[in-house]
Amino acid sequence: MRQSGKRRNRDEREGQIFDTSESGSIPKILGGIVIAGCLTAIVLDLVGLGLSDRVGMIRDTISNLAAKEGDGTPVDELADTGLYAFVIAVLATTAGLARWRIDRLDWKIGAVLLVVVAVCVALIAGYEAYTSGEGTVIHYRLVYVLGGAFPLTVLLTAGQFYEIRRWLGIALYAGGAVWAIAAPFLFLVPTAWDGGYERLLAALMLGWFLTMGVMIWRDPDTKRHIPEDERS
C-alpha cells in the first residue's frame, strides 16, 4: 500500500520541474534578458513620449507613438526598438520555460502561444503599412491574436506555478483572467483615453513577463519544491 501510494503520488505530479542547476549560468542569462528586455521597452516608451510633442501617454496608444511621428524619426526608432526588445524578452521567456521540460499539455500549449505573442509583436513593430494607407491592414488583426494568445498563455502555465508556489499560481490565474476580461474593452474606450488604457494592459503583461524572468533566473532553486525521486 505504501509503495502504491508513493507511485500514485509520483504519477499525479508527473511533469514537475526537475533540477537544472547543472546548467550553470544559462538560467541567469535568460532571466536577465527577459528582465532587461521588459525594462528597455518601458524606458523607451517613456523617453519617446518625452521627446514627442504630438503624442500623449493617455490619449495615444503605443503604436501611435511611432505612427504619428513618421518613419525614420528618432521617436519612431525608439518606439520600434522598445517593441523589438520586448520580442527578445518573450523569446527568452519561451527558451527559459522550455528548459524545464515539463510534461504537461497545458504547459506545452502555453509555450507555443508565447511564440505567437512574439511574432505578433514583431510584426506590429516591423510592418507599418497601416500607418501610410498602403498595403494590407494587419495591425488590428495582430492585436486580436495577441489579445487571445497572451491570456491563454498565462492561464495555461499557471497550473505548474501553482505546484511550485500556491500563492503565485493563484495570482497568475487571477491576473490572466483579469487581462482576458479587460483587453476587449480597449476597443470601447474613448480615443482620448485609449492610450492610458492600453498602457495599463501593457503594464500587466510586462508584470507577468518580469515575474517569469525572476522565476527563470532562480531556476536552480525550484528543485527545493519537488522531491528528488519525483523529478523527471
Side-chain angles (χ1 to χ4, degrees):
M1 285 292 292
R2 184 176 302 176
Q3 181 67 24
S4 176
K6 184 176 181 181
R7 181 177 302 171
R8 182 165 54 253
N9 184 54
R10 183 182 300 113
D11 292 340
E12 289 174 353
R13 300 184 63 169
E14 181 181 1
Q16 299 295 318
I17 300 171
F18 60 92
D19 182 10
T20 56
S21 58
E22 74 277 0
S23 54
S25 61
I26 293 178
K28 287 183 170 51
I29 292 174
L30 291 174
I33 291 173
V34 175
I35 295 170
C38 291
L39 295 179
T40 299
I42 295 171
V43 170
L44 292 184
D45 180 57
L46 294 175
V47 172
L49 288 169
L51 293 176
S52 175
D53 57 359
R54 304 167 61 184
V55 178
M57 177 181 291
I58 304 300
R59 71 174 184 269
D60 295 296
T61 65
I62 298 171
S63 299
N64 289 150
L65 184 61
K68 284 194 174 183
E69 292 292 331
D71 295 343
T73 64
V75 173
D76 171 73
E77 296 299 330
L78 285 173
D80 288 342
T81 300
L83 290 175
Y84 290 134
F86 178 62
V87 170
I88 293 173
V90 176
L91 294 176
T93 302
T94 306
L97 297 183
R99 286 186 61 259
W100 292 357
R101 288 178 284 176
I102 296 172
D103 189 21
R104 290 176 54 146
L105 180 60
D106 54 357
W107 182 273
K108 293 177 180 178
I109 295 174
V112 172
L113 288 174
L114 270 179
V115 178
V116 174
V117 170
V119 171
C120 286
V121 176
L123 289 175
I124 288 172
Y127 187 91
E128 296 181 347
Y130 67 94
T131 65
S132 63
E134 300 177 358
T136 304
V137 178
I138 65 171
H139 179 72
Y140 288 109
R141 297 176 187 176
L142 293 170
V143 172
Y144 296 147
V145 175
L146 177 63
F150 173 69
L152 281 175
T153 296
V154 177
L155 294 172
L156 288 170
T157 57
Q160 182 60 58
F161 289 106
Y162 183 86
E163 297 292 336
I164 300 173
R165 290 188 179 89
R166 181 169 297 184
W167 67 266
L168 177 59
I170 293 173
L172 294 177
Y173 274 126
V178 168
W179 207 94
I181 295 170
F185 288 96
L186 175 63
F187 300 99
L188 303 177
V189 174
T191 55
W193 299 90
D194 60 353
Y197 194 82
E198 184 188 64
R199 284 180 171 82
L200 176 60
L201 292 174
L204 293 174
M205 179 183 288
L206 287 168
W208 184 82
F209 279 100
L210 286 169
T211 301
M212 295 302 101
V214 172
M215 293 299 294
I216 293 169
W217 177 284
R218 299 182 61 188
D219 181 42
D221 294 336
T222 61
K223 65 182 180 180
R224 295 184 295 105
H225 302 278
I226 296 135
E228 185 175 357
D229 62 347
E230 294 183 17
R231 302 173 198 157
S232 299

